[in-house]
Amino acid sequence: MTDKFTPEQRHRCMSAIHSRNTKPEIIVRKYLFARGFRYRVNVRSLPGTPDIVLKKYRCVIFVNGCFWHGHENCTLYSLPKTNSDFWRKKLARNRERDAVTAARLRGMGWNVVQLWECQLKPKEREKTLAELVATLDYLLKGKPRKKKTYDCDTETFSYAAEPYAEYGE
């Protein structure tokens, strides 16, 4: 199947996609800020330019779009029917780049949390964000924060982040 767009047209369409300050990122940032977390956004000095960096927690958060990062088994991700080979290769490169970036950050001593766009849809949002806060509290190794405004079962927060084993326990 041939692509109906020229490379120049495709570039113009794709350049309209924003990679910063997306709606899912803003949802996460507002939630964290309202609960007393302070962070930096899009830190260029770290590999992959993480969306949110919490230095105190040695934690970076990537808020990934399900399509652009190839979230397998997700309703928001499907391979386009036109120019499928191009998209398959592009999305595979994106997934590979994400894995390499996460490995580099872990090698530098950072904890990496990956949130997906689908986890921030209204039905899943509160659970995902509460589990993110529980993950951050866990990373602080039980030290109490000044402002604690959530009620979450800390045994089940691996939904929003990686399991405990990934953090060295």
Side-chain angles (χ1 to χ4, degrees), residues 9-25:
Q9 290 172 321
R10 186 183 314 115
H11 176 72
R12 281 198 303 271
C13 292
M14 290 176 67
S15 67
I17 304 297
H18 297 282
S19 62
R20 297 169 199 250
N21 300 322
T22 63
K23 186 176 179 180
E25 285 178 35

Side-chain angles (χ1 to χ4, degrees), residues 70-167:
H71 191 200
E72 296 293 333
N73 302 318
C74 175
T75 58
L76 300 178
Y77 168 71
S78 64
L79 198 62
K81 292 186 182 1
T82 58
N83 206 11
S84 298
D85 288 338
F86 166 79
W87 287 108
R88 187 176 295 107
K89 290 175 186 172
K90 175 168 183 44
L91 297 174
R93 284 192 314 265
N94 288 354
R95 283 192 295 267
E96 183 179 324
R97 183 194 64 228
D98 291 345
V100 168
T101 297
R104 286 182 61 201
L105 286 163
R106 285 188 189 101
M108 296 168 65
W110 289 91
N111 297 292
V112 178
V113 175
Q114 184 179 55
L115 297 177
W116 292 98
E117 175 186 9
C118 62
Q119 292 175 310
L120 298 170
K121 294 293 181 190
K123 288 182 181 179
E124 297 289 325
R125 183 179 302 156
E126 190 60 38
K127 179 183 177 191
T128 299
L129 294 173
E131 290 171 351
L132 174 62
V133 169
T135 299
L136 294 173
D137 281 344
Y138 171 76
L139 291 176
L140 207 57
K141 298 188 186 334
K143 296 178 187 172
R145 291 187 304 116
K146 290 180 183 175
K147 190 173 183 181
K148 204 170 191 179
T149 59
Y150 66 93
D151 183 26
C152 179
D153 176 12
T154 58
E155 295 298 316
T156 60
F157 71 82
S158 63
Y159 177 81
E162 299 152 340
Y164 288 139
E166 294 292 322
Y167 295 111

